[in-house]
Amino acid sequence: MSALSFELAAATVQGREHARAGRNNQDAFWARASEHGLAAVVTDGCGSGAQSELGAQLGARRVVEGALSLLGRQVPVESPEFLQRLGADVLCFLQAISGELGERAIGEALLFTVVGAVVTPEHTLVFSAGDGLWALNGDVHRLGPFPNNAPPYLAYGLLKPGAVSLKANTLRPTAEVDSLLLGTDGVSDLVGLAEARVPEREEPVGPLSQFWSDGRYFSNPDALRRRLALLNRESVRADFPARRLERVPGLLSDDTTLVVLRRRQGRA
């Protein structure tokens, strides 16, 4: 990340309700830099899919690797062709998987939302397909919710060509970017918990801005994961008048995943 003067933090945590239901964390993230720029993405598998975590994990990697491949072939990130070709590349990849596993795999494993970014020395592009959240320089933008809690999944394009495409949310000069957060829809719930109390502690959860302003999340590669895990820890407290113990659930009902970039302090 140093070539672009950005540092990165990323983490995911299983949602409370997914844990109760015995379901895996269906979110994923991936980020990687190359000599041409960096790409990062968060994905969220469809909740009704039996193995949506598979598509989310494979899809996150494919989006990032596809984006870096396009940069390496000198496709300008500011050109509409960039997202068109990236979306086509991901669909081709998913088509190959469904060809091996059968068409049922589309609904069971390959439906996932995407919130991503590509950063080059000149431009920063934020894009998406489906719900989630992104925040640029402190300005928070929610994606969705969609009617009937049914976001548009990129893999719908396997059933109906052109049904869903990657959408450009913003294109900015990279020189103007100080911080960028990408989040699944669980992060939207986290925004509303700023005044809630951290389980087993007498401190508030705090605002979303902590994740790009607090240096500990970038100096310790595990700090962000630990923070999310702490917020979702089930605790037990004593109700002395009633002479009983009460279980207090974690704060994050849905899987919650975020990738955060911020400009290195003291560098252009």
Side-chain angles (χ1 to χ4, degrees):
M1 302 300 173
S2 59
L4 282 167
S5 298
F6 285 97
E7 49 192 352
L8 182 145
T12 184
V13 68
Q14 181 186 34
R16 180 185 69 232
E17 298 307 315
H18 278 210
R20 281 182 179 174
R23 293 154 60 191
N24 292 328
N25 183 345
Q26 294 176 320
D27 281 3
F29 67 85
W30 195 245
R32 193 170 73 82
S34 74
E35 61 182 310
H36 304 289
L38 69 87
V41 69
V42 297
T43 53
D44 180 3
C46 175
S48 61
Q51 296 177 303
S52 288
E53 63 273 14
L54 174 63
Q57 292 167 10
L58 293 175
R61 293 193 178 214
R62 187 65 181 199
V63 171
V64 167
E65 299 306 323
L68 293 179
S69 177
L70 289 172
L71 292 181
R73 284 180 277 166
Q74 306 301 312
V75 180
V77 72
E78 65 272 22
S79 165
E81 179 187 8
F82 188 90
L83 287 183
Q84 293 169 5
R85 291 179 62 173
L86 180 57
D89 176 79
V90 176
L91 280 179
C92 184
F93 173 72
L94 297 178
Q95 181 69 66
I97 295 176
S98 66
E100 291 291 329
L101 302 180
E103 190 171 294
R104 287 183 58 188
I106 297 175
E108 292 181 352
L110 301 182
L111 300 180
F112 56 88
T113 63
V114 174
V115 184
V118 179
V119 183
T120 71
E122 295 79 25
H123 295 97
T124 293
L125 171 69
V126 179
F127 60 91
S128 64
D131 54 12
L133 176 149
W134 59 279
L136 180 65
N137 295 342
D139 292 328
V140 178
H141 304 266
R142 299 182 189 232
L143 301 166
F146 293 89
N148 302 315
N149 195 29
Y153 296 111
L154 195 60
Y156 283 163
L158 299 179
L159 304 174
K160 181 181 178 182
V164 179
S165 59
L166 293 174
K167 171 189 174 184
N169 293 305
T170 191
L171 178 70
R172 301 284 184 88
T174 297
E176 297 178 1
V177 176
D178 293 317
S179 65
L180 175 62
L181 180 147
L182 310 172
T184 57
D185 61 346
V187 178
S188 295
D189 297 336
L190 180 59
V191 172
L193 294 170
E195 300 302 322
R197 294 290 172 180
V198 175
E200 299 181 340
R201 296 192 181 185
E202 289 301 317
E203 66 176 78
V205 171
L208 194 65
S209 60
Q210 68 182 285
F211 297 115
W212 59 79
S213 61
D214 192 331
R216 63 178 164 157
Y217 296 122
F218 302 94
S219 60
N220 182 338
D222 197 42
L224 182 54
R225 184 203 62 81
R226 290 201 319 233
R227 181 64 175 180
L228 295 181
L230 176 62
L231 298 181
N232 226 25
R233 177 186 299 170
E234 183 181 81
S235 60
V236 178
R237 68 184 179 196
D239 184 342
F240 291 106
R243 297 184 178 181
R244 66 184 182 188
L245 296 176
E246 292 185 344
R247 291 190 177 275
V248 181
L251 299 176
L252 305 174
S253 62
D254 196 7
D255 300 336
T256 302
T257 303
L258 56 156
V259 172
V260 191
L261 292 168
R262 78 167 185 178
R263 191 170 295 278
R264 291 184 184 275
Q265 304 300 301
R267 295 186 61 175

